[in-house]
């Protein structure tokens, strides 16, 4: 079985920072893209940032310049450093990994359980 375990969420004041972590465990052959999504109440889940195994990253326009995604391939872990947080960043943040379990088998998306980030004074 594959598990994605997130940590680092919480309550922070506007302008503050948080760092999310997501560790992937289990019998895994390879992880391609890893990313962070978020879902605010009443809204659809949206991509926040993604990163390839080679380190190429992309960001939602709303977080460019404030958030930084990174990964440690040796630890199968992805991070999201969030700075200058705004109230509109409040959401449940989900980790995603596009991975394969065996050589020559298809890759599939796996999700973490989500971690709450609340930005409020």
């Amino acid at each position: 079985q594959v598990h994605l375990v997130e940590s680092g969420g919480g309550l922070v004041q506007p302008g503050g920072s948080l760092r999310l972590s997501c560790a992937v465990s289990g019998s895994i052959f390879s992880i391609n893209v890893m990313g962070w999504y978020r879902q605010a109440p009443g809204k659809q889940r949206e991509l926040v940032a993604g990163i390839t195994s080679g380190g190429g990253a992309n960001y939602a326009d709303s977080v460019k310049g404030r958030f930084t995604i990174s990964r440690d391939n040796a630890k199968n872990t992805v991070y999201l450093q969030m700075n200058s947080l705004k109230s509109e960043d409040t959401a449940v943040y989900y980790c995603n990994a596009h991975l394969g379990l065996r050589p020559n088998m298809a890759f599939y998306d796996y999700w973490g359980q989500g971690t709450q980030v609340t930005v409020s004074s």
Side-chain angles (χ1 to χ4, degrees):
Q1 273 190 325
V2 176
H3 296 281
L4 278 67
V5 179
E6 299 137 336
S7 60
L11 173 64
V12 64
Q13 291 186 342
S17 298
L18 282 174
R19 188 190 194 213
L20 305 182
S21 300
C22 172
V24 182
S25 63
S27 179
I28 300 164
F29 167 64
S30 178
I31 304 176
N32 185 1
V33 178
M34 302 182 80
W36 291 94
Y37 289 71
R38 68 186 180 187
Q39 187 166 19
K43 295 187 177 181
Q44 289 189 329
R45 189 175 297 189
E46 63 175 359
L47 174 67
V48 177
I51 186 167
T52 67
S53 57
N58 66 290
Y59 298 89
D61 287 342
S62 60
V63 306
K64 283 181 181 176
R66 300 188 297 122
F67 291 10
T68 302
I69 190 170
S70 60
R71 65 189 278 177
D72 184 332
N73 292 329
K75 297 181 178 179
N76 289 338
T77 300
V78 63
Y79 307 95
L80 185 68
Q81 178 66 44
M82 305 184 293
N83 298 329
S84 303
L85 283 160
K86 305 175 181 180
S87 58
E88 51 262 44
D89 295 318
T90 296
V92 177
Y93 284 70
Y94 296 90
C95 173
N96 170 270
H98 191 65
L99 61 87
L101 301 180
R102 299 286 186 273
N104 301 315
M105 289 185 65
F107 280 50
Y108 295 96
D109 282 320
Y110 290 80
W111 294 89
Q113 79 285 356
T115 185
Q116 177 69 47
V117 171
T118 302
V119 184
S120 175
S121 55

